[in-house]
Amino acid sequence: MSLLKSREAILVAAILLLLAGVASRFPGFITPRNLVAVFTDTAPLVILALGQMVVILTRSIDLSVAANLALTGMVCALINVSFPGVPVAVLIALALGLGALMGAINGFFVWKLSIPPIVVTLGTMTIFRGVIFLLTNGSWVNSHQMSMAFKSFPREAILGLPVLGWVAVIVTLGLGLVMSRTTLGRAFFAVGGNPHASVYTGINVGRTQFLAFVISGMLAGLTGYLWVARYAVAYVDIAGGFELDVVAACVIGGVSIAGGVATVAGAVLGALFLGIIKNALPVIDVSPFWQLAISGAAIIIAVTFNSRAGRSKGRVILKSAEHAQ
């Protein structure tokens, strides 16, 4: 019975039903090759959703992840155009650092100035997009301007899966380890579950939220390079509106907007569910207007489910408390 109440089990069942429904009309959709392609398409959403999950877990929200992605990707592309000999490893390190810096800016304003996260990240979202325009005057960086090494890295296949997909797998495993085996991971849950009680246990709530924004920004920066290199184009409006998909993936995956409740598996499954819908609907000739309506309906259903589930008890993070029940 507990399995039937698990959000992750329900999502797995929903994904399997979705795949079966699509396969009944287009059997080629569930071939291993196509499923790998769908996972690779969804990999950026998975990475961003994991970062957003950590932020939402601490009762915050980061609406600037897509703008962070766009600015980091554009900077990497401009450096590659000006200095084609710079190794990809250096560009990835730069993307991680620049993304983390933008996340730290968000976290600083939330921590030190106590400005609501939604206000801070709405402002920085606009600023980051504006910086891209100032850097480029609105011009694009196209495929023929980028080096082959820059473009080919995310597409290189290892054991049949492109590097972009492997990055999503590594980020998932790494963050799963952080959330389940480290003091910082438990602090994220504690701050989101009860910030006032967290203070009495010695947790610095503002600092914890700051670190959550840094993690989210770092993952957004990493995704920025991977996105631009994979699609071989960079422009001001790249990934425009993608932040809403990221939040939707978290909500579908059972991440509570009120904070304190989330799982890495849930965020990944939420992103996969949304990614499969977005890849499947065009294949079965569903109108773009219905695609938006269906995606929106999935989000509303998930929010309704979360609000009802939120009336039950929260997650137990201390073993002693678990035994006391």
Side-chain angles (χ1 to χ4, degrees):
M1 289 297 292
S2 60
L3 184 64
L4 296 177
K5 294 179 181 178
S6 164
R7 167 56 71 95
E8 291 79 10
I10 293 171
L11 271 172
V12 169
I15 289 172
L16 292 177
L17 285 174
L18 182 61
L19 289 173
V22 176
S24 66
R25 294 193 56 182
F26 189 78
F29 190 82
I30 58 171
T31 60
R33 182 178 181 181
N34 191 65
L35 290 179
V36 167
V38 171
F39 179 75
T40 305
D41 282 340
T42 311
L45 181 59
V46 170
I47 299 171
L48 292 177
L50 288 170
Q52 188 72 254
M53 177 204 73
V54 179
V55 175
I56 293 177
L57 189 57
T58 61
R59 298 195 176 192
S60 299
I61 193 166
D62 187 355
L63 297 180
S64 67
V65 286
N68 182 329
L69 178 161
L71 177 54
T72 306
M74 178 59 81
V75 170
C76 290
L78 291 174
I79 291 175
N80 180 251
V81 171
S82 301
F83 307 98
V86 174
V88 171
V90 175
L91 290 175
I92 292 176
L94 175 68
L96 288 167
L98 184 58
L101 175 62
M102 284 187 272
I105 292 172
N106 287 330
F108 174 81
F109 285 111
V110 172
W111 177 19
K112 293 298 182 182
L113 302 182
S114 301
I115 302 176
I118 192 170
V119 175
V120 171
T121 55
L122 273 174
T124 53
M125 176 177 70
T126 307
I127 293 171
F128 296 160
R129 294 279 182 191
V131 171
I132 302 174
F133 189 85
L134 291 174
L135 289 174
T136 63
N137 287 322
S139 61
W140 291 34
V141 178
N142 294 307
S143 175
H144 68 276
Q145 298 172 280
M146 301 175 183
S147 69
M148 188 55 68
F150 181 87
K151 292 183 290 187
S152 62
F153 179 75
R155 306 176 192 177
E156 294 287 346
I158 301 175
L159 300 177
L161 182 65
V163 168
L164 177 56
W166 281 114
V167 172
V169 172
I170 292 170
V171 170
T172 300
L173 295 176
L175 198 58
L177 194 63
V178 170
M179 300 302 290
S180 61
R181 300 290 183 222
T182 67
T183 305
L184 180 61
R186 291 188 180 277
F188 289 140
F189 282 106
V191 167
N194 192 328
H196 299 294
S198 299
V199 173
Y200 290 106
T201 61
I203 296 174
N204 187 322
V205 174
R207 179 175 171 274
T208 305
Q209 290 177 321
F210 172 83
L211 292 174
F213 276 107
V214 171
I215 291 174
S216 176
M218 186 170 59
L219 294 180
L222 173 64
T223 311
Y225 160 70
L226 295 171
W227 184 299
V228 167
R230 186 190 185 215
Y231 294 106
V233 66
Y235 53 93
V236 174
D237 291 328
I238 196 168
F242 201 63
E243 61 275 355
L244 299 181
D245 287 349
V246 175
V247 174
C250 290
V251 172
I252 291 172
V255 180
S256 173
I257 293 296
V261 178
T263 64
V264 170
V268 172
L269 289 170
L272 290 177
F273 181 78
L274 207 56
I276 291 172
I277 286 182
K278 288 183 176 295
N279 278 275
L281 295 182
V283 171
I284 57 178
D285 292 329
V286 175
S287 160
F289 301 106
W290 277 107
Q291 292 176 29
L292 291 174
I294 292 172
S295 298
I299 295 169
I300 291 174
I301 292 171
V303 171
T304 304
F305 188 85
N306 281 352
S307 64
R308 294 180 65 83
R311 295 171 187 170
S312 60
K313 62 182 182 180
R315 171 175 174 162
V316 176
I317 62 172
L318 297 175
K319 294 298 180 185
S320 58
E322 186 177 24
H323 296 315
Q325 287 186 343

